[in-house]
Amino acid sequence: MEITAQNFPQALVAKSYQTPVVVQFYAPWCGPCRALKPVIQKVHEQSKLKWDLGFANVQASPVLAKKFGIFMLPEVKLIEHGEVKASFSGFKSDFIIKNWLDNNLKKVEEIPHSPIVNQLKNNQIENAKASLLDLAIKENPNSDYLKLIAALQHLESNNANAMQWLQKIARGGETDALVKSIRDLVDINQEDNNPTTPTASPYTIEPTKATAKINIETFDFALLESLVHYGINEIRKGKGAAALAIEPTLTKAAVDHNNYQIRTDTLTHYQENPLKKTVTERVDSFGGGFRMVGENVQFKGFPVRTWSTGNEKEIITPTYIVAAEDLIKNWVKSPGHYKNLINPKYKFVGTAVGWNPETSAVFSTQVFGA
């Protein structure tokens, strides 16, 4: 189902009162959008849950982008009873999409321990531990609830041990929903922290390699962002600082400001929009929730050679890995940027890289949070 500004009320809102509708917002020039479309279509075909799938071209219907607050592409939203119930941004694997649908379409109230399952799905780990501890006290020291608590204690720090504790719990009991929720958290954490897993993936006939020269026509920004993220974490490791985890709110703030710099062709930490003037205000506009934030920005030009006709350009580009190393080196050489880069207080980051074709300049932004 193709959704436009004209058929939006009938095709989407009215239909969502009968059946939940999942909408992928895309643009024809967006590589990650093209990569996601067949994946989400396959999930829809194989899904046992009842939901409809639609696609909205924000380039053809910018009013829809404004109405739904689209700041990244692709953006996927679940609409039920005329309201957005859940969403995610960027390319995701079929496993992640299936779990996202499973978590948001099933009625969790119908399963045992639904309050704790809800806490886990909302990543309220400490609250879930407290709830499980209350149950354990009422049971016995060898109860499955204590094994669940042990699994949560190891989550992220030692996922292998977390899985071992879960495997000690017999299947078919009333804790099955809790075990599945913790398993999902382990799987998601392992995928999110895998440096080879990009947050978005463009459509190409063959996978882009880090050692390949950058082709401006098919610029794989997700790959470059991933290489920058990996390289910065390597520098932090050398300084004894913990690796930065990719965080959606910070990523949206980074993309928003990077796009602003590209539009204005200006290297700056400030915007004219009074609601997004500073990095703190930009992060808050996308949800906030951080006690401290920081920002690194830069631009790097690609040399351009104009042919004698004056109508065509030959763009001389480096490889992806060299471009990433150059971006990182520039930040390392700048005392203020380097201070942000290795600050051990920061735990999360959002990265954005983009290109201004009119000036052949690559702009990059990183937003840090703690």
Side-chain angles (χ1 to χ4, degrees):
M1 174 173 60
E2 188 69 24
I3 298 165
T4 65
Q6 287 70 37
N7 69 9
F8 164 71
Q10 180 180 358
L12 188 59
V13 176
K15 195 173 186 63
S16 71
Y17 281 90
Q18 307 296 325
T19 306
V21 180
V22 173
V23 181
Q24 177 186 333
F25 292 86
Y26 73 97
W29 48 262
C30 171
C33 301
R34 294 195 294 271
L36 178 63
K37 185 175 182 179
V39 176
I40 201 168
Q41 285 176 323
K42 182 179 178 182
V43 172
H44 184 227
E45 292 170 1
Q46 298 178 347
S47 178
K48 296 180 181 180
L49 301 173
K50 188 177 180 181
W51 53 284
D52 287 325
L53 178 62
F55 298 90
N57 183 346
V58 296
Q59 182 171 302
S61 302
V63 65
L64 290 181
K66 183 176 181 181
K67 178 177 178 62
F68 285 95
I70 305 301
F71 297 101
M72 293 182 66
L73 290 177
E75 179 90 6
V76 177
K77 294 185 181 292
L78 170 62
I79 301 171
E80 195 168 7
H81 300 293
E83 301 290 336
V84 176
K85 183 179 179 182
S87 64
F88 69 81
S89 302
F91 178 87
K92 303 293 180 187
S93 66
D94 55 352
F95 168 78
I96 296 297
I97 296 173
K98 287 174 184 177
N99 272 287
W100 178 77
L101 289 166
D102 187 60
N103 291 340
N104 289 290
L105 288 178
K106 282 187 176 180
K107 293 182 178 179
V108 74
E109 294 80 5
E110 297 176 356
I111 61 178
H113 305 303
S114 61
I116 308 177
V117 172
N118 273 329
Q119 290 171 340
L120 291 170
K121 292 186 186 303
N122 291 318
N123 208 31
Q124 298 171 346
I125 305 301
E126 294 304 319
N127 291 341
K129 289 179 183 178
S131 299
L132 287 170
L133 186 58
D134 289 340
L135 287 174
I137 292 173
K138 295 177 182 178
E139 296 289 334
N140 60 72
N142 296 318
S143 74
D144 287 341
Y145 299 120
L146 290 182
K147 296 172 186 174
L148 290 169
I149 291 174
L152 284 174
Q153 292 283 16
H154 289 289
L155 181 64
E156 297 184 2
S157 63
N158 193 327
N159 287 320
N161 279 359
M163 293 298 291
Q164 287 179 3
W165 277 105
L166 294 177
Q167 290 167 359
K168 293 180 181 180
I169 300 174
R171 296 183 179 182
E174 63 176 2
T175 60
D176 271 3
L178 295 171
V179 172
K180 181 183 183 302
S181 295
I182 298 175
R183 282 179 183 270
D184 289 347
L185 288 175
V186 171
D187 289 337
I188 291 171
N189 177 258
Q190 289 177 327
E191 182 168 330
D192 285 346
N193 286 284
N194 185 344
T196 64
T197 302
T199 57
S201 178
Y203 174 79
T204 51
I205 295 176
E206 295 182 356
T208 306
K209 304 295 184 181
T211 55
K213 274 188 171 287
I214 295 173
N215 183 337
I216 294 301
E217 298 299 323
T218 57
F219 205 133
D220 189 344
F221 294 111
L223 174 60
L224 186 52
E225 290 167 0
S226 190
L227 290 170
V228 169
H229 177 75
Y230 177 80
I232 282 176
N233 274 339
E234 286 297 296
I235 292 175
R236 288 176 62 86
K237 181 195 288 187
K239 294 295 180 179
L244 296 169
I246 298 173
E247 203 282 328
T249 298
L250 298 178
T251 299
K252 290 180 180 179
V255 170
D256 178 79
H257 190 59
N258 210 55
N259 288 340
Y260 175 84
Q261 292 183 106
I262 293 172
R263 285 197 311 271
T264 60
D265 194 32
T266 305
L267 185 67
T268 178
H269 285 287
Y270 301 95
Q271 293 189 21
E272 291 183 0
N273 186 336
L275 299 179
K276 295 181 179 180
K277 187 174 182 181
T278 66
V279 61
T280 300
E281 290 169 339
R282 289 191 287 276
V283 171
D284 288 344
S285 74
F286 289 106
F290 298 90
R291 58 184 176 81
M292 63 179 290
V293 295
E295 182 180 69
N296 283 356
V297 298
Q298 71 165 288
F299 81 96
K300 174 181 174 56
F302 277 154
V304 177
R305 180 184 301 153
T306 304
W307 290 354
S308 58
T309 61
N311 296 324
E312 297 185 73
K313 292 181 178 180
E314 179 186 351
I315 300 175
I316 305 168
T317 62
T319 63
Y320 282 94
I321 189 66
V322 169
E325 290 173 349
D326 285 346
L327 290 172
I328 295 170
K329 286 177 183 176
N330 288 341
W331 276 326
V332 170
K333 291 177 182 178
S334 171
H337 292 128
Y338 184 55
K339 184 177 180 181
N340 279 338
L341 194 152
I342 63 171
N343 190 335
K345 294 182 180 179
Y346 289 132
K347 305 298 180 185
F348 307 98
V349 72
T351 304
V353 180
W355 182 60
N356 185 335
E358 296 181 359
T359 61
S360 298
V362 170
F363 285 85
S364 51
T365 302
Q366 283 202 307
V367 179
F368 305 88

